[in-house]
Short mmCIF file of all heavy atoms in Angstrom, two decimals:
data_model
loop_
_atom_site.label_atom_id
_atom_site.label_comp_id
_atom_site.label_asym_id
_atom_site.label_seq_id
_atom_site.Cartn_x
_atom_site.Cartn_y
_atom_site.Cartn_z
N GLU A 53 -84.90 -21.48 -34.33
CA GLU A 53 -85.86 -20.74 -33.51
C GLU A 53 -85.18 -20.04 -32.33
O GLU A 53 -85.64 -20.10 -31.19
CB GLU A 53 -86.98 -21.65 -33.02
CG GLU A 53 -87.82 -22.25 -34.13
CD GLU A 53 -88.67 -21.23 -34.86
OE1 GLU A 53 -89.16 -20.28 -34.22
OE2 GLU A 53 -88.82 -21.36 -36.09
N LYS A 54 -84.06 -19.39 -32.62
CA LYS A 54 -83.27 -18.70 -31.60
C LYS A 54 -84.06 -17.51 -31.06
O LYS A 54 -84.43 -16.60 -31.80
CB LYS A 54 -81.95 -18.22 -32.22
CG LYS A 54 -81.11 -17.34 -31.35
CD LYS A 54 -80.42 -18.11 -30.28
CE LYS A 54 -79.46 -17.19 -29.54
NZ LYS A 54 -79.01 -17.74 -28.31
N PRO A 55 -84.35 -17.50 -29.74
CA PRO A 55 -85.09 -16.37 -29.16
C PRO A 55 -84.34 -15.05 -29.35
O PRO A 55 -83.12 -15.00 -29.23
CB PRO A 55 -85.18 -16.73 -27.67
CG PRO A 55 -84.98 -18.20 -27.62
CD PRO A 55 -84.05 -18.53 -28.75
N MET A 56 -85.08 -14.01 -29.66
CA MET A 56 -84.52 -12.68 -29.87
C MET A 56 -85.27 -11.71 -28.96
O MET A 56 -86.34 -11.21 -29.32
CB MET A 56 -84.66 -12.26 -31.34
CG MET A 56 -84.27 -10.84 -31.67
SD MET A 56 -82.61 -10.33 -31.23
CE MET A 56 -81.61 -11.39 -32.22
N PRO A 57 -84.74 -11.46 -27.76
CA PRO A 57 -85.42 -10.52 -26.88
C PRO A 57 -85.32 -9.10 -27.42
O PRO A 57 -84.40 -8.77 -28.16
CB PRO A 57 -84.66 -10.67 -25.55
CG PRO A 57 -83.32 -11.16 -25.94
CD PRO A 57 -83.51 -11.98 -27.19
N LEU A 58 -86.25 -8.29 -27.03
CA LEU A 58 -86.26 -6.87 -27.40
C LEU A 58 -85.85 -6.08 -26.16
O LEU A 58 -86.47 -6.22 -25.11
CB LEU A 58 -87.65 -6.45 -27.86
CG LEU A 58 -87.84 -4.97 -28.16
CD1 LEU A 58 -86.95 -4.53 -29.31
CD2 LEU A 58 -89.29 -4.70 -28.50
N ILE A 59 -84.78 -5.32 -26.29
CA ILE A 59 -84.33 -4.50 -25.17
C ILE A 59 -84.61 -3.04 -25.52
O ILE A 59 -84.12 -2.52 -26.52
CB ILE A 59 -82.83 -4.72 -24.88
CG1 ILE A 59 -82.60 -6.19 -24.53
CG2 ILE A 59 -82.36 -3.80 -23.76
CD1 ILE A 59 -81.17 -6.61 -24.42
N PHE A 60 -85.43 -2.42 -24.69
CA PHE A 60 -85.80 -1.02 -24.87
C PHE A 60 -85.40 -0.27 -23.62
O PHE A 60 -85.92 -0.54 -22.54
CB PHE A 60 -87.31 -0.88 -25.12
CG PHE A 60 -87.75 0.54 -25.25
CD1 PHE A 60 -87.46 1.27 -26.38
CD2 PHE A 60 -88.44 1.16 -24.21
CE1 PHE A 60 -87.86 2.59 -26.49
CE2 PHE A 60 -88.84 2.48 -24.32
CZ PHE A 60 -88.55 3.20 -25.47
N GLU A 61 -84.43 0.63 -23.78
CA GLU A 61 -83.87 1.37 -22.65
C GLU A 61 -83.41 0.38 -21.58
O GLU A 61 -82.51 -0.40 -21.83
CB GLU A 61 -84.84 2.42 -22.15
CG GLU A 61 -85.09 3.51 -23.20
CD GLU A 61 -86.07 4.57 -22.80
OE1 GLU A 61 -86.66 4.48 -21.70
OE2 GLU A 61 -86.25 5.50 -23.60
N GLU A 62 -84.02 0.35 -20.42
CA GLU A 62 -83.60 -0.55 -19.33
C GLU A 62 -84.46 -1.81 -19.25
O GLU A 62 -84.27 -2.63 -18.36
CB GLU A 62 -83.68 0.19 -17.98
CG GLU A 62 -82.87 1.47 -17.92
CD GLU A 62 -81.38 1.21 -18.02
OE1 GLU A 62 -80.91 0.23 -17.41
OE2 GLU A 62 -80.69 1.98 -18.71
N VAL A 63 -85.39 -1.98 -20.17
CA VAL A 63 -86.35 -3.07 -20.09
C VAL A 63 -86.04 -4.14 -21.14
O VAL A 63 -85.87 -3.85 -22.33
CB VAL A 63 -87.79 -2.54 -20.32
CG1 VAL A 63 -88.80 -3.67 -20.24
CG2 VAL A 63 -88.12 -1.44 -19.33
N LYS A 64 -85.96 -5.39 -20.69
CA LYS A 64 -85.77 -6.52 -21.59
C LYS A 64 -87.12 -7.22 -21.74
O LYS A 64 -87.68 -7.70 -20.76
CB LYS A 64 -84.73 -7.49 -21.03
CG LYS A 64 -84.46 -8.66 -21.94
CD LYS A 64 -83.36 -9.54 -21.36
CE LYS A 64 -83.10 -10.73 -22.24
NZ LYS A 64 -82.03 -11.58 -21.70
N LEU A 65 -87.63 -7.25 -22.95
CA LEU A 65 -88.93 -7.83 -23.22
C LEU A 65 -88.78 -9.15 -23.97
O LEU A 65 -88.14 -9.21 -25.02
CB LEU A 65 -89.78 -6.87 -24.07
CG LEU A 65 -89.96 -5.46 -23.50
CD1 LEU A 65 -90.54 -4.55 -24.56
CD2 LEU A 65 -90.85 -5.52 -22.29
N GLU A 66 -89.34 -10.20 -23.43
CA GLU A 66 -89.38 -11.49 -24.12
C GLU A 66 -90.68 -11.51 -24.93
O GLU A 66 -91.71 -11.96 -24.46
CB GLU A 66 -89.34 -12.64 -23.11
CG GLU A 66 -88.10 -12.68 -22.24
CD GLU A 66 -86.82 -12.98 -23.01
OE1 GLU A 66 -86.86 -13.56 -24.11
OE2 GLU A 66 -85.75 -12.62 -22.49
N CYS A 67 -90.60 -11.00 -26.15
CA CYS A 67 -91.80 -10.80 -26.97
C CYS A 67 -92.13 -11.97 -27.89
O CYS A 67 -93.09 -11.91 -28.64
CB CYS A 67 -91.64 -9.55 -27.83
SG CYS A 67 -91.44 -8.04 -26.89
N GLY A 68 -91.33 -13.00 -27.86
CA GLY A 68 -91.61 -14.12 -28.73
C GLY A 68 -90.98 -14.02 -30.11
O GLY A 68 -91.28 -14.82 -30.98
N TYR A 69 -90.10 -13.04 -30.32
CA TYR A 69 -89.40 -12.97 -31.60
C TYR A 69 -88.36 -14.08 -31.65
O TYR A 69 -87.70 -14.37 -30.67
CB TYR A 69 -88.71 -11.61 -31.77
CG TYR A 69 -89.67 -10.46 -31.82
CD1 TYR A 69 -89.72 -9.53 -30.80
CD2 TYR A 69 -90.54 -10.31 -32.89
CE1 TYR A 69 -90.61 -8.47 -30.83
CE2 TYR A 69 -91.44 -9.26 -32.93
CZ TYR A 69 -91.47 -8.34 -31.90
OH TYR A 69 -92.35 -7.31 -31.94
#
Side-chain angles (χ1 to χ4, degrees):
E53 297 292 324
K54 172 76 173 165
M56 173 56 63
L58 175 63
I59 300 171
F60 177 74
E61 295 178 357
E62 304 294 320
V63 180
K64 182 177 179 180
L65 305 168
E66 299 293 338
C67 298
Y69 296 112

